[in-house]
Amino acid sequence: MQDAPTTDARLALDLALTLRHDGHGGVADDLTDLAGLAAWVRSHPQTAPDADGFVADEETLTAVRELRAAVRALFARAVRPGEPSPADAARLLPAPEALRSLNTAAARTPTVPVLHWDEGAEPVVRHQAAGTGEQLVAVLARAAIGFLAGPDRRRLRACHAPRCVRYFLKEHPRQEWCEPSCGNRARVARHHARHHKGG
């Protein structure tokens, strides 16, 4: 078993996984509207100060979606020589453009370290900045940079089960799919293909 993914890896993957299979052969997007972004941020409290009360605006939604496109393009590059996620294969940003977009997003807002030290706990440093929308995009971009430059990147794979569009971190040498349900779908599809080919 591999070590648990870093916080950066988890956050970058969670952003990429806002595009997922919808269970009907299509792709679902959790970030289609302001409510979707607000719900996603609330479920990821490390992304913004007062995340539980986060209110999205169109500019932030557009910036996060553009960042996600860059992250998924760089994920596709990271899984080479393997194939990218089927959701990305036909519409990947060129790598130089994705890198530029990621780095620009990471620089959107300067942050300062702020020490938090609750009684009876170890001190913790959090980076804070003004401007919630700007900070959200910068935090996500910096997490993606940390992940792509870190050791977890080598474990990144695209799931190629039928209808799946997810990326995942390989936890053990024999793992081929993001979830057991994807493995089941892949085995059923192979079985079906074998029996129909011979019949």
Side-chain angles (χ1 to χ4, degrees):
M1 278 302 223
Q2 297 281 338
D3 292 333
T6 63
T7 303
D8 285 347
R10 188 74 266 148
L11 191 54
L13 274 168
D14 285 353
L15 175 62
L17 297 182
T18 57
L19 278 183
R20 56 188 168 72
H21 54 92
D22 66 3
H24 305 289
V27 177
D29 185 347
D30 294 335
L31 304 180
T32 56
D33 56 24
L34 299 179
L37 177 59
W40 189 83
V41 170
R42 287 184 198 121
S43 69
H44 295 80
Q46 72 276 34
T47 58
D50 304 319
D52 56 342
F54 178 80
V55 177
D57 58 43
E58 289 293 340
E59 183 180 339
T60 304
L61 177 62
T62 298
V64 171
R65 288 174 57 93
E66 288 172 355
L67 175 62
R68 179 184 62 188
V71 166
R72 288 183 67 94
L74 295 170
F75 277 17
R77 181 178 182 178
V79 300
R80 287 181 192 161
E83 293 294 316
S85 163
D88 301 318
R91 56 186 168 133
L92 285 172
L93 288 175
E97 184 181 334
L99 284 167
R100 231 180 351 269
S101 180
L102 179 65
N103 289 328
T104 299
R108 284 179 80 126
T109 182
T111 60
V112 295
V114 178
L115 184 66
H116 296 268
W117 200 346
D118 295 331
E119 192 65 42
E122 290 294 312
V124 176
V125 176
R126 294 193 180 100
H127 294 273
Q128 291 182 208
T132 304
E134 292 286 310
Q135 182 179 358
L136 169 65
V137 175
V139 164
L140 294 174
R142 290 173 185 175
I145 288 170
F147 167 61
L148 290 166
D152 283 332
R153 182 197 75 245
R154 290 186 273 292
R155 296 169 39 206
L156 185 67
R157 302 290 186 275
C159 184
H160 290 289
R163 301 186 307 278
C164 191
V165 298
R166 296 171 54 118
Y167 288 94
F168 66 96
L169 291 183
K170 190 170 182 158
E171 298 295 328
H172 53 80
R174 294 176 49 112
Q175 184 179 359
E176 295 181 50
W177 303 285
C178 65
E179 298 177 335
S181 59
C182 279
N184 291 340
R185 275 201 318 278
R187 284 187 284 278
V188 166
R190 278 198 304 249
H191 177 80
H192 185 73
R194 271 195 310 266
H195 284 11
H196 278 63
K197 191 187 231 181

